[in-house]
Amino acid sequence: PANTVLVFTYIGYAPQELVVNGNKTKQKIALKEIVNETDEVVIVGRGTQRKISVVGAVTNVKASDLQVPSSSVTNMLGGRVPGIIAVTRSGEPGNDFSEFWIRGISTFGAGASALVLIDGVEGDLNILDPADIESFTILKDASSTAVYGVRGANGVVLVTTRRGAVGKPVISFSADFGLQSPSSMPELVGAYDMAVLTNEALVNNGQSPKYSQDQLNIYKSGGGNPFLYPDIDWFDEVLKKNAYMQQYNASITGGSEKMQYFVSANVLRQEGIFRRGAYNDNYSTNVSYTKYNFRSNLDFQLNNVISAKLTLAGVIGDKRRPSSGVNSIFERARVASPNVT
């Protein structure tokens, strides 16, 4: 009947709607292929395949699963991708990236990690903005990685970034705020226990005790002069309970039949958990990391045969940390005596 809407769909192609005109008996329908449709189409070594025809070990990660507040894409892989071993060795801002292995640690020394290709070019996941990811595919077995030779021996990560689409400009903005806190901290003894253990160690070594019984009673009661009988938790004095993290994303996409564009910018700010004194309000001496990302993906259709793509991406990082490293500060707080100021 006239004005009926027919919907044409097929795996790997965009749906097409057609309003029936009563004057026409024949109509030609052309469906546009969606090569990055990860639900049914899998991006493999060079090109794409239907999901049902892929026999190799290929894992797709939904881009929506990666849209969580985090300092790096690598920190999001652990627990989200089967078979991936992810290890984070530090919580320091700007240095809290995860090392990950897809097929285990099969080689020694350099080159033990997976090969990462971003839009076909070898890159680093730690400087990639998660909001720019269109699809995320991991190739695991030999049949999937054979095209990359020895460089794919430890697995291959294929990342495609978002690109423009025909239509009016669409502007997107998002802001994320979070708190970071230590997952576990050492439990330290108090001043009374420290004094008792010090006396015990001296006596076992044939020396006289350092603290008298009256002094031990004062430490135990906690009512003594804090300058003469301190009981200090140095971790509490040096470290805060939480540190703030904030992230801002802005992008614009659109285009015409001749040219499509996707432009994005990202700002990530992480603060350290060290406390600041009142004397340095004019300049932050805390550990911090600020990262600025920019990406511009342009697609040109020069004529019916020739097309061109232009990708520009950059990242600027500002990392602040003490010259001796944060480990030395943490270690000094760990070994400092609670009854010594």
Side-chain angles (χ1 to χ4, degrees):
N3 299 323
T4 300
V5 179
L6 299 179
V7 180
F8 299 84
T9 61
Y10 190 76
I11 294 175
Y13 291 84
Q16 179 83 324
E17 295 185 359
L18 173 67
V19 179
V20 176
N21 189 334
N23 298 327
K24 291 186 178 181
T25 58
K26 293 183 178 181
Q27 181 70 40
K28 182 178 181 181
I29 303 298
L31 299 183
K32 183 178 179 181
E33 185 176 6
I34 304 179
V35 297
N36 290 343
E37 189 66 42
T38 55
D39 287 340
E40 300 296 342
V41 177
V42 176
I43 301 175
V44 294
R46 289 179 181 171
T48 61
Q49 292 183 11
R50 298 283 182 262
K51 187 175 183 179
I52 194 172
S53 65
V54 174
V55 297
V58 179
T59 299
N60 290 314
V61 181
K62 294 182 179 179
S64 59
D65 293 340
L66 301 177
Q67 306 304 320
V68 295
S70 180
S71 58
S72 170
V73 176
T74 57
N75 293 342
M76 307 173 186
L77 297 179
R80 286 183 170 85
V81 182
I84 275 192
I85 302 172
V87 178
T88 304
R89 304 186 186 277
S90 173
E92 178 186 352
N95 198 34
D96 57 344
F97 307 136
S98 296
E99 296 182 69
F100 70 97
W101 296 269
I102 295 176
R103 302 176 63 186
I105 307 177
S106 56
T107 59
F108 295 96
S113 59
L115 172 64
V116 177
L117 297 178
I118 303 175
D119 290 334
V121 179
E122 187 170 355
D124 185 0
L125 289 178
N126 293 325
I127 63 175
L128 182 65
D129 181 11
D132 293 343
I133 296 177
E134 178 73 23
S135 66
F136 195 97
T137 305
I138 298 175
L139 311 181
K140 299 180 180 180
D141 65 353
S143 63
S144 301
T145 60
V147 67
Y148 301 102
V150 67
R151 289 290 285 113
N154 299 288
V156 181
V157 177
L158 301 178
V159 180
T160 59
T161 57
R162 297 171 57 189
R163 309 200 75 86
V166 177
K168 296 181 179 180
V170 177
I171 300 176
S172 302
F173 177 80
S174 65
D176 297 314
F177 300 90
L179 290 175
Q180 295 179 302
S181 59
S183 57
S184 62
M185 294 289 290
E187 296 184 7
L188 305 181
V189 299
Y192 171 74
D193 293 324
M194 189 67 179
V196 171
L197 294 174
T198 300
N199 283 352
E200 182 179 339
L202 293 174
V203 171
N204 290 339
N205 198 36
Q207 303 179 38
S208 300
K210 180 178 180 180
Y211 301 97
S212 67
Q213 187 60 46
D214 291 338
Q215 290 176 314
L216 293 178
N217 292 335
I218 295 176
Y219 275 124
K220 188 174 183 179
S221 65
N225 188 318
F227 295 99
L228 298 177
Y229 302 96
D231 189 358
I232 303 174
D233 184 342
W234 287 106
F235 277 141
D236 186 59
E237 294 292 328
V238 175
L239 305 178
K240 300 184 294 184
K241 299 298 182 182
N242 301 291
Y244 292 98
M245 182 180 70
Q246 48 191 325
Q247 191 170 10
Y248 304 93
N249 292 283
S251 65
I252 179 171
T253 181
S256 62
E257 296 291 343
K258 295 294 184 180
M259 191 269 285
Q260 299 88 45
Y261 57 87
F262 169 78
V263 181
S264 70
N266 169 269
V267 179
L268 169 69
R269 169 72 178 178
Q270 283 182 284
E271 294 184 357
I273 61 173
F274 293 108
R275 294 186 183 274
R276 294 175 54 199
Y279 58 86
N280 56 12
D281 287 337
N282 296 328
Y283 179 79
S284 176
T285 57
N286 205 342
V287 177
S288 66
Y289 178 61
T290 306
K291 183 177 68 171
Y292 305 90
N293 279 82
F294 170 79
R295 177 171 294 273
S296 175
N297 292 341
L298 305 178
D299 298 273
F300 303 93
Q301 189 65 43
L302 303 180
N303 53 44
N304 294 334
V305 179
I306 301 176
S307 62
K309 295 183 179 182
L310 176 63
T311 297
L312 300 175
V315 59
I316 299 176
D318 181 11
K319 183 189 300 184
R320 299 186 180 185
R321 64 195 303 267
S323 58
S324 59
V326 297
N327 291 338
S328 61
I329 300 177
F330 188 89
E331 182 65 15
R332 289 182 181 181
R334 186 184 68 85
V335 300
S337 176
N339 53 6
V340 175
T341 57

